[in-house]
Amino acid sequence: MSGLTVWPQNAGLRWRCLPFDALSADTLYRLLRLRSEVFVVEQNCVFLDMDGLDPQCLHVLGEAVAPDGVGRLVASTRLVPPGVSFAEASIGRVVTAPADRSGGLGHLLMAESVRLLEQLWSPQPIRIGAQAHLERFYNRHGFVSDDKPYIEDGIPHLEMIRR
């Protein structure tokens, strides 16, 4: 398939995990642009992405690195400390660039996010609010549904937990 990027074993990817106040203006702009491109425009969902939680979180950034060393943001999550969104730690705002999907990047992103969360805060239960149509995707990373479906911003969601 033309234009498809396959991401074997993090090849060509650089992962960074930064607190909000360490994000440069350029990095923050690219992060918010990617989230808006997917969550607002692609999903046709009018909602306030900037919910006030970003300053309390760590941000996982996956960048495709060009031969000249310049990185292009292709994936991101935010790691939410326990007690902020849920009693448990959480992974939220899971996003991959539309042009970089279907090659396993989302799975690499989740694996890296879980690894970093456990490295930072020790192995522990992780709770997420997942879009319901992605339940099987999150099942592959050890998350199981822990609640009845609910609607958030007009989209069916599930609470899921990884113990």
Side-chain angles (χ1 to χ4, degrees):
M1 174 183 254
S2 178
L4 176 66
T5 303
V6 179
W7 301 98
Q9 301 174 2
N10 293 343
L13 283 176
R14 172 176 57 212
W15 295 104
R16 296 190 294 156
C17 183
L18 300 171
F20 183 79
D21 60 1
L23 297 171
S24 70
D26 179 65
T27 300
L28 179 59
Y29 177 85
R30 291 184 298 125
L31 172 61
L32 294 176
R33 180 182 169 97
L34 176 60
R35 288 179 7 188
S36 291
E37 178 183 2
V38 172
F39 300 138
V40 178
V41 177
E42 180 183 311
Q43 295 179 0
N44 194 26
C45 181
V46 178
F47 84 113
L48 187 58
D49 175 42
M50 290 163 274
D51 59 2
L53 297 183
D54 286 312
Q56 300 172 64
C57 300
L58 292 164
H59 299 271
V60 177
L61 308 169
E63 298 168 316
V65 181
D68 63 3
V70 175
R72 177 177 58 87
L73 185 64
V74 295
S76 179
T77 62
R78 68 180 181 187
L79 306 181
V80 187
V84 174
S85 289
F86 302 107
E88 302 87 355
S90 182
I91 298 172
R93 296 297 198 262
V94 178
V95 62
T96 57
D100 296 286
R101 293 187 190 142
S102 301
L105 178 59
H107 291 292
L108 292 174
L109 173 63
M110 279 307 295
E112 184 67 8
S113 296
V114 168
R115 185 190 74 74
L116 286 165
L117 187 148
E118 290 182 342
Q119 177 184 330
L120 290 162
W121 300 323
S122 76
Q124 61 187 282
I126 303 170
R127 184 173 297 275
I128 61 173
Q131 292 185 8
H133 75 277
L134 294 171
E135 182 176 11
R136 287 180 46 193
F137 170 84
Y138 290 111
N139 288 157
R140 290 181 57 185
H141 295 278
F143 290 90
V144 295
S145 179
D146 194 38
D147 201 21
K148 294 180 182 176
Y150 63 96
I151 302 295
E152 183 176 314
D153 300 316
I155 299 171
H157 280 70
L158 296 168
E159 274 192 28
M160 301 183 79
I161 192 154
R162 181 181 193 273
R163 297 191 190 275

